[in-house]
Amino acid sequence: MWGMKLPDIERWSARVLVVRGQNPGPFTGPGTNTYLVGTGSRPLLIDPGSGHAGYLPLLEQALTSDFAGVAPAEILVTHVHPDHIGGVAEVLGRFGPLRVSKRPWPGKDERFGLALTPIRSGDVFRSEGATLRAIHTPGHAEDHICFYLEEERALFTGDLVLGAGTTVIPLDGGDMGAYLASLEQLLGLELERIYPGHGPLIAEPKAKLREYIEHRLARERQIVSAVRAGASTVDRMVERIYTDTPRTLWPAAGQSVLSHLHKLERERRASRSRDAGGEERWAVS
């Protein structure tokens, strides 16, 4: 998604307005998609970005033009990564105390110094014209929540599914097995569109979910083949597999490779050891 250009503000449906977080980058693409959801004057705000100074004027513009310029009713956060929760403090500073709801992740949430209302899977959040149901979808992050918009059979997917490219499964809180299970879980929903955490609207959600699952399974097969061909370290696997990926993104690719290996290890399909120099090496069955 790096280099992709999208409008700062887009109306995606009668209930959904997206405001870009003004934090473009190699992992955020054109920036975090922050969402105002509802048809009345007090919409729900999902994921207010990273706290970039250019975001608040756009949020105010969107609230004024489409929602009578009052304030969000509540802030919902999909997960604790800074490009999704980092802008909460600035929004509160501008609009005053609002409820901020998020699935807890003890040890991670505290750094942001926010009073958080816990979200459990199945919790329902309402604004005029919109009903959102929380679905716990770990894998990209331990605390990750998607929000299902019942009136549209649409899903806000945070970083679980992106509008372009694929998401990283980080070592810190990521889990490849849980990630694939979350994707499979979403296939069971009635879905007509996906509103991703980054990038454009996804109009064929089931096809995208199947594409994501097959991509991960294909990557797993590549890793197994690479190890069998002699690439026993993560660096060598990345070098062999990610030939069409800029080298600046290889460290992130390495995290996803390790997440695959840990999944294979739990399934007793891979094992690790250390050589004389202390470097970790992998074997597969």
Side-chain angles (χ1 to χ4, degrees):
M1 289 191 296
W2 181 230
M4 179 184 290
K5 302 294 184 184
L6 293 173
D8 288 335
I9 300 174
E10 282 189 279
R11 170 62 69 178
W12 278 357
S13 79
R15 296 175 180 83
V16 177
L17 189 77
V18 58
V19 183
R20 300 262 141 55
Q22 304 306 294
N23 55 333
F27 298 107
T28 58
T32 303
N33 289 341
T34 87
Y35 291 101
L36 293 167
V37 185
T39 59
S41 61
R42 299 293 303 276
L44 298 166
L45 172 59
I46 299 177
D47 283 355
S50 61
H52 191 283
Y55 171 68
L56 273 181
L58 290 172
L59 180 63
E60 291 175 323
Q61 177 185 332
L63 285 165
T64 299
S65 63
D66 287 65
F67 299 96
V70 182
E74 179 175 353
I75 299 172
L76 306 178
V77 178
T78 59
H79 63 296
V80 79
H81 290 163
D83 57 319
H84 293 261
I85 194 174
V88 169
E90 285 78 4
V91 173
L92 296 179
R94 168 62 183 84
F95 295 103
L98 301 171
R99 189 167 72 168
V100 182
S101 296
K102 179 193 170 297
R103 185 177 176 87
W105 189 353
K108 300 292 185 183
D109 294 334
E110 292 80 359
R111 64 173 286 200
F112 295 98
L114 300 169
L116 298 171
T117 299
I119 293 178
R120 298 166 300 177
S121 197
D123 284 351
V124 173
F125 303 86
R126 292 183 173 88
S127 64
E128 186 175 336
T131 308
L132 293 176
R133 177 163 50 88
I135 304 171
H136 183 214
T137 50
H140 173 73
E142 191 176 298
D143 61 337
H144 199 285
I145 289 283
C146 290
F147 295 100
Y148 182 72
L149 179 55
E150 294 183 354
E151 288 82 357
E152 295 186 5
R153 293 189 288 277
L155 191 68
F156 297 90
T157 55
D159 279 352
L160 197 80
V161 179
L162 306 181
T166 56
T167 194
V168 172
I169 309 302
L171 296 177
D172 185 9
D175 183 298
M176 188 61 70
Y179 181 71
L180 285 166
S182 290
L183 294 174
E184 291 282 358
Q185 176 189 190
L186 297 183
L187 277 173
L189 296 174
E190 288 187 53
L191 278 181
E192 293 187 6
R193 54 176 47 189
I194 282 174
Y195 298 127
H198 305 271
L201 167 73
I202 298 168
E204 297 183 1
K206 294 297 182 79
K208 177 62 75 172
L209 289 169
R210 293 188 185 98
E211 174 191 323
Y212 260 49
I213 292 168
E214 178 50 35
H215 167 77
R216 288 299 174 188
L217 296 178
R219 191 67 85 198
E220 186 172 286
R221 292 191 292 270
Q222 288 179 307
I223 291 167
V224 170
S225 295
V227 175
R228 286 176 176 164
S232 61
T233 68
V234 170
D235 286 347
R236 290 295 304 277
M237 293 178 217
V238 170
E239 183 180 346
R240 179 182 290 265
I241 295 167
Y242 288 84
T243 55
D244 57 350
T245 301
R247 293 182 70 94
T248 55
L249 299 181
W250 281 10
Q255 290 195 54
S256 288
V257 167
L258 261 177
S259 293
H260 274 289
L261 289 166
H262 291 163
K263 171 182 175 289
L264 291 169
E265 186 178 45
R266 288 193 297 273
E267 296 168 350
R268 299 187 178 182
R269 297 167 58 199
S271 60
R272 56 179 139 174
S273 60
R274 293 195 179 274
D275 61 21
E279 187 171 21
E280 191 171 78
R281 294 189 176 273
W282 289 86
V284 296
S285 58

